[in-house]
Amino acid sequence: MIKLEKRPQPSDLWSVATPIVAVLATMIFGGILFAFLGENPFEAIRTIFWDPLFSEFAFYYRPQLLVKGAPLVLIAIGLSLGFRAGIWNIGAEGQYIMGAIFGAAVGLAFYPLDSMIVFPLMILGGALGGWIWAMIPAILKVKFGTNEILVSLMLVYVAEQFLAAASLSFLKNPEGFGFPGSRNLQQYPAAHNAEIFAGSGMHWGVAFAFIAVIFAYVLLNRHMLGFQIRLTGEAPRAARFSGVKPARLILFCLGTSGALAGLAGLFEVAGPAGQITIDFNVGYGFTAIIVAFLGRLHPVGILLAGGLMALTYIGGEIAQSNLGLPAAAIQVFQGMLLFFLLAFDLLTNYRIRFAKREVA
Amino acid sequence: MSVLLSIKGLTKAYPGVVANDQVSFDIGEGEVHALLGENGAGKSTLVKMIYGLVKPDSGEMTLRGAPYAPPEPSAARADGIAMVFQHFSLFDALNVAENIALGMEDPPPMRDLARRIREVSETYGLPLDPARIVGDLSAGERQRVEIIRCLLQDPKLLIMDEPTSVLTPQEVQILFETLRKLSSEGTAILYISHKLEEIRALCDTATILRLGKNVGTCVPRETTAREMAEMMVGSALQSPERSGRALGEVALEIRGLSAASPSAFGTSLKDLSLSVRKGEILGIGGVAGNGQDELLAVLSGEIVTRGDAVALHGQPVGALGPAQRRALGLLTAPEERLGHAAAPDMSLTENAMLTGAAREGLVGNGFLRWGKAKDFAQRIIEAFDVRTPGPENAARSLSGGNLQKFVIGREVLQRPEVLVVNQPTWGVDAAAAAAIRQALLDLATGDTALVVISQDLDELMEIADNFAALNEGRLTPPRPTAGLTIDEIGLMMGGAHGMEVAHV
């Protein structure tokens, strides 16, 4: 009989090895899945993990990695702060949308003014939009004890309606021949989130993602607030005994994750997407939840996980177009990754023993 | 007296520790047999083997001459062995009869069961209404539910694990009458305890365990408590020293405080007043669940009240949170070590930060000084002889006694003006308990005011200057411990809570 035995100390080895083993297991079982679909598993795995980085067309795919990875990392960093403290913001997608709408609205309000101040104001607007949207579940939780999971999640659908309204009415391009969608910010230089180095994929959102990683690392490891976040997650009663004010923590964690998600939305709308459209959001806010856990809620881990997730996205697209794999198979593949990660995570705190059956 | 249960060479090893090593003894029919030993001596493992919860690695048992090796507790119960655990397994939201039915193999209809509960409870002097909700019962009444659950099976051997830790002295006397009656009817009792006077009053024979080995058997009535203690510990015991102290001005005062308990089955504090002077140790006794946790929370700042309800050096602090009170010198150590006083999965360094941040200067401008925190943790480990490889180890990797020394040491080393501790030596071995008591006495000598909340009356008599008792959220007026008799203490703790002596 297999028995799980709690380790006296979390294993350092396994907390590092878990993501690696999980990726390997995903490759093996993903390969089996692809084999059942009639593809050569080695080619499929190579297409997903190798081609985006090192194939002959990698010059095109590598910038895409940064473009896809940056919003994931930016949002996941914010989410991880709350998740560490047991505060579950599931509505980053909505905060991302609201950040994009607010930021784009600021930019469009100045159109066609050509000034250095427009883009920084848009950044503030984006952060504010996401922050406001996250403060709704935060304040409701603090004042009335509502469940932030439900409130933040439902606000995603409200934000999607705002997005549709924005593209159809108040942000609609007056010169757009009646088509839904705002002006294209890529054609408004003062508001365009252009690449910092042309052709690199490195736009301001990527820079902010790196800054967020460093900020979160310092906060969690060196600052009292970060210590309180970790303490609350580990032992809520001990946190209150230590003097943590739960309400303050809820407002901070939800507010920060909202602001970061809003920033991600702003950088996307002002850069790669270019305009507010009805189908502007593509699920970064939800995928970021996976990225946060894949990175073990650790800032550096999230950076790596964001890169890995972007890789499976782009590799998955290549596999779809080159090998004709169905999109659902790629999603199953990504789901496997999270599943194995959580499964192997058990080994950090438990060890497996094979023992003969003993009647309890 | 014929032998009921005979144990020969029972051995059980867990990874890293031999819990029982070649333990042998006999229990006779109708005998009250004490199993005596410190925490970690292997008493629990031994009775779990008798009750079928744990399988021995080697050794054998015979019950009335027949081989006995219960694969699971239901088999042990079928053979007439019943056990009352130290920690009750009752559902708060169900009534007494329902709880008892849940523990039976095939319970009779509820009406018959209620009648039998009444019969048994009257015969043995354990009054209990089968229709009452368990969540509303006192700890002593809950224990009665567990005992009656066992008696309904008509056991040949009743195992009782530390039964008196939740009882007042009067309730203890009544329990003993019940046990004596059972014994006279031929039921053997295996009585686990580390309270020597109780064992001397009740038991016919005592088997003493130390570090998993049977180190001796004695007849308690003919042995002094000190001799038994030294067999149990394996060395001469050192009593804490208390030096005469002059008491200073009032350091901590509570005036007319009422506070609702945050938990549904907790005890609210009712119009509670106390004052402690510099250099004084105020001992607060009482049966568990009479407002001890709430009193600590009110003092630590986890429950905030009217500002002037709690005063530190005359300054109102009732409305302040835990961090602010700590900064002013009011320090506390809660009962529950893991999850309340310490975060289980965090290192000792991080746990030193948990309460030491302000007073030990472990933060500057909001940034943490990990180097200083590690030094502080190291100082606690050295000063209180905490057995651990180092401050980077997780709190949960420490044994209960070692973690308790760390938690108490963490507060003591912060030079408190007022220190409040709840159950400072709960589950701690005798040597560690003596060290903790000595540290508390030394603090008092250094002019700190202390409030020690404890269920261990001997402990309070040993170190406290004044004694008060908590009973259903009310505090009695304090009385000097010198000259206080055990009967007076029992009455302060609420007497017998309506229990009556068994109708022998």
Side-chain angles (χ1 to χ4, degrees), chain B residues 94-372:
Chain B
L94 298 181
N95 73 25
V96 170
E98 286 163 341
N99 263 292
I100 287 176
L102 276 175
M104 298 176 88
E105 305 297 319
D106 58 321
M110 209 44 92
R111 213 170 11 145
D112 297 351
L113 183 64
R115 201 193 64 239
R116 285 187 58 200
I117 291 171
R118 280 206 193 83
E119 281 169 14
V120 172
S121 74
E122 270 170 36
T123 316
Y124 291 99
L126 301 164
L128 199 58
D129 179 356
R132 278 185 71 193
I133 300 293
V134 165
D136 299 332
L137 301 182
S138 72
E141 288 171 316
R142 284 170 201 228
Q143 186 182 54
R144 272 178 246 162
V145 180
E146 293 274 10
I147 295 174
I148 287 174
R149 177 192 274 178
C150 290
L151 295 185
L152 284 173
Q153 304 161 22
D154 199 13
K156 300 288 160 289
L157 173 65
L158 179 63
I159 305 172
M160 303 204 77
D161 191 359
E162 302 262 355
T164 58
S165 58
V166 295
L167 302 180
T168 66
Q170 277 80 358
E171 287 172 330
V172 170
Q173 287 313 316
I174 292 166
L175 174 69
F176 283 6
E177 288 306 318
T178 305
L179 296 181
R180 287 191 189 108
K181 179 171 165 67
L182 278 169
S183 159
S184 69
E185 289 172 359
T187 305
I189 292 160
L190 183 58
Y191 186 88
I192 303 168
S193 181
H194 60 255
K195 292 186 181 166
L196 304 165
E197 288 304 337
E198 283 179 5
I199 286 175
R200 293 193 61 214
L202 180 70
C203 300
D204 306 315
T205 322
T207 295
I208 297 160
L209 291 185
R210 183 167 77 234
L211 300 173
K213 290 197 176 74
N214 181 348
V215 293
T217 306
C218 64
V219 178
R221 287 191 187 91
E222 296 161 8
T223 316
T224 67
R226 190 168 190 92
E227 281 165 352
M228 284 196 284
E230 289 178 358
M231 281 169 86
M232 196 164 94
V233 179
S235 62
L237 267 182
Q238 214 164 4
S239 310
E241 293 167 31
R242 55 196 298 184
S243 43
R245 320 179 278 270
L247 303 186
E249 72 230 43
V250 171
L252 175 76
E253 194 168 13
I254 298 180
R255 274 177 302 237
L257 172 86
S258 298
S261 172
S263 84
F265 291 112
T267 306
S268 300
L269 299 178
K270 296 164 197 100
D271 193 26
L272 187 144
S273 300
L274 65 81
S275 78
V276 196
R277 306 204 295 174
K278 279 185 168 180
E280 177 185 346
I281 299 182
L282 173 65
I284 295 186
V287 174
N290 271 297
Q292 284 90 339
D293 289 345
E294 289 77 9
L295 176 59
L296 185 107
V298 154
L299 289 170
S300 72
E302 288 162 279
I303 299 178
V304 288
T305 55
R306 280 194 342 268
D308 59 354
V310 183
L312 183 69
H313 299 307
Q315 186 187 349
V317 297
L320 302 182
Q324 291 158 299
R325 293 193 195 193
R326 247 176 234 128
L328 292 170
L330 173 52
L331 271 54
T332 51
E335 172 185 8
E336 186 67 43
R337 294 180 277 261
L338 282 175
H340 194 183
D345 286 318
M346 289 180 134
S347 72
L348 294 179
T349 304
E350 288 170 304
N351 273 300
M353 182 70 85
L354 197 139
T355 68
R359 287 183 79 77
E360 291 298 307
L362 309 181
V363 260
N365 295 322
F367 285 91
L368 307 170
R369 298 185 177 137
W370 284 122
K372 286 188 83 171

Side-chain angles (χ1 to χ4, degrees), chain A:
Chain A
M1 193 178 66
I2 302 171
K3 274 174 87 173
L4 285 174
E5 197 175 275
K6 191 152 188 171
R7 294 175 193 271
Q9 289 259 94
S11 158
D12 289 336
L13 173 71
W14 273 106
S15 66
V16 176
T18 298
I20 301 167
V21 176
V23 169
L24 288 177
T26 311
M27 285 184 176
I28 293 168
F29 285 90
I32 294 172
L33 171 78
F34 295 141
F36 273 113
L37 290 169
E39 293 297 329
N40 176 349
F42 296 100
E43 199 190 339
I45 298 294
R46 199 207 64 211
T47 307
I48 294 172
F49 285 101
W50 185 263
D51 283 4
L53 289 170
F54 304 110
S55 71
E56 79 184 284
F57 300 109
F59 69 90
Y60 172 74
Y61 297 127
R62 276 186 219 141
Q64 285 295 314
L65 276 180
L66 291 182
V67 169
K68 295 254 188 228
L72 289 177
V73 171
L74 204 51
I75 299 170
I77 286 285
L79 294 181
S80 72
L81 297 180
F83 290 177
R84 280 258 177 140
I87 298 163
W88 305 101
N89 178 5
I90 305 298
E93 185 80 358
Q95 294 139 23
Y96 171 86
I97 293 172
M98 294 312 277
I101 295 176
F102 269 62
V106 170
L108 293 168
F110 284 106
Y111 183 84
L113 176 75
D114 184 24
S115 163
M116 290 285 284
I117 201 164
V118 175
F119 192 58
L121 283 178
M122 286 168 67
I123 292 179
L124 286 180
L128 182 70
W131 181 80
I132 289 175
W133 214 240
M135 284 319 265
I136 298 171
I139 291 170
L140 288 176
K141 184 176 175 68
V142 169
K143 288 277 170 214
F144 305 110
T146 56
N147 183 327
E148 77 278 17
I149 299 176
L150 291 174
V151 177
S152 65
L153 180 62
M154 289 192 292
L155 282 171
V156 173
Y157 305 105
V158 179
E160 283 179 344
Q161 299 308 313
F162 265 106
L163 180 70
S167 16
L168 291 170
S169 62
F170 58 92
L171 290 183
K172 193 165 85 169
N173 183 359
E175 294 157 22
F177 308 105
F179 285 103
S182 71
R183 279 182 203 278
N184 196 322
L185 293 167
Q186 288 171 350
Q187 288 152 15
Y188 173 23
H192 182 205
N193 172 24
E195 290 176 331
I196 301 170
F197 308 105
S200 66
M202 174 89 179
H203 61 68
W204 281 105
V206 180
F208 269 75
F210 281 108
I211 294 170
V213 168
I214 296 167
F215 161 81
Y217 185 87
V218 172
L219 179 78
L220 287 173
N221 290 293
R222 293 269 174 267
H223 198 275
M224 195 64 192
L225 193 57
F227 179 70
Q228 293 188 339
I229 287 174
R230 289 194 293 131
L231 188 58
T232 304
E234 298 268 357
R237 202 156 168 228
R240 265 200 309 284
F241 171 63
S242 155
V244 176
K245 296 191 178 75
R248 222 181 98 203
L249 219 55
I250 291 166
L251 295 176
F252 174 81
C253 289
L254 280 171
T256 307
S257 58
L260 288 178
L263 279 178
L266 171 272
F267 289 124
E268 187 71 15
V269 76
Q275 60 177 157
I276 293 284
T277 51
I278 294 177
D279 54 359
F280 163 74
N281 61 313
V282 292
Y284 282 133
F286 292 120
T287 310
I289 297 171
I290 303 179
V291 171
F293 280 106
L294 193 60
R296 314 191 49 78
L297 305 182
H298 187 283
V300 178
I302 288 171
L303 186 65
L304 298 175
L308 181 70
M309 212 53 165
L311 191 67
T312 62
Y313 262 116
I314 293 161
E317 278 171 23
I318 303 173
Q320 273 180 59
S321 58
N322 291 6
L323 307 177
L325 279 172
I330 302 296
Q331 284 167 7
V332 169
F333 186 75
Q334 288 169 342
M336 271 185 193
L337 190 58
L338 184 68
F339 170 80
F340 281 119
L341 187 90
L342 295 176
F344 285 113
D345 200 31
L346 191 79
L347 294 173
T348 311
N349 280 312
Y350 292 86
R351 68 165 64 97
I352 292 179
R353 278 192 182 277
F354 298 93
K356 60 176 190 284
R357 198 171 144 73
E358 186 174 306
V359 181

